[in-house]
Amino acid sequence: STYVEVGEGAQSHFDIVYGTGAVTGEFGVDAITIAEDITVADQTFARVDSTQGLGRVYENAMFDGVLGLAFPGLSKNPGVNTFM
């Protein structure tokens, strides 16, 4: 992994409330690969540290992550765009 914490002065913590509950975590930077051959270096992303707010929804769901594509007005870190 090439994971590093975000740079000094950058927003590092986030809280997101979904309809099913809340998650919290930290922003980090790493190389992100989608499918097998699309890799973006130095992509900032949110790493969820706590899913307690989701309760049994997260425990029973068949997924291991969420790729958020929020409009800038809804983003928890609006200055950072997803590479797409």
Side-chain angles (χ1 to χ4, degrees), residues 27 32 40-45 67-73 75 77-84:
F27 288 105
I32 304 295
V40 177
D42 301 322
Q43 175 68 52
T44 299
F45 68 97
L67 175 60
L69 298 172
F71 292 111
S75 177
N77 197 354
V80 177
N81 297 321
T82 303
F83 66 89
M84 295 183 199

Side-chain angles (χ1 to χ4, degrees), residues 1-62:
S1 172
T2 57
Y3 177 83
V4 295
E5 295 180 2
V6 293
E8 187 174 325
Q11 180 179 346
S12 61
H13 182 79
F14 69 90
D15 301 287
I16 300 174
V17 179
Y18 296 105
T20 54
V23 298
T24 61
E26 303 294 325
F27 288 105
V29 179
D30 204 344
I32 304 295
T33 301
I34 302 288
E36 294 180 8
D37 59 351
I38 302 171
T39 300
V40 177
D42 301 322
Q43 175 68 52
T44 299
F45 68 97
R47 183 191 76 237
V48 173
D49 295 328
S50 173
T51 59
Q52 288 182 322
L54 300 181
R56 299 192 62 82
V57 171
Y58 187 77
E59 293 171 14
N60 296 326
M62 300 294 281

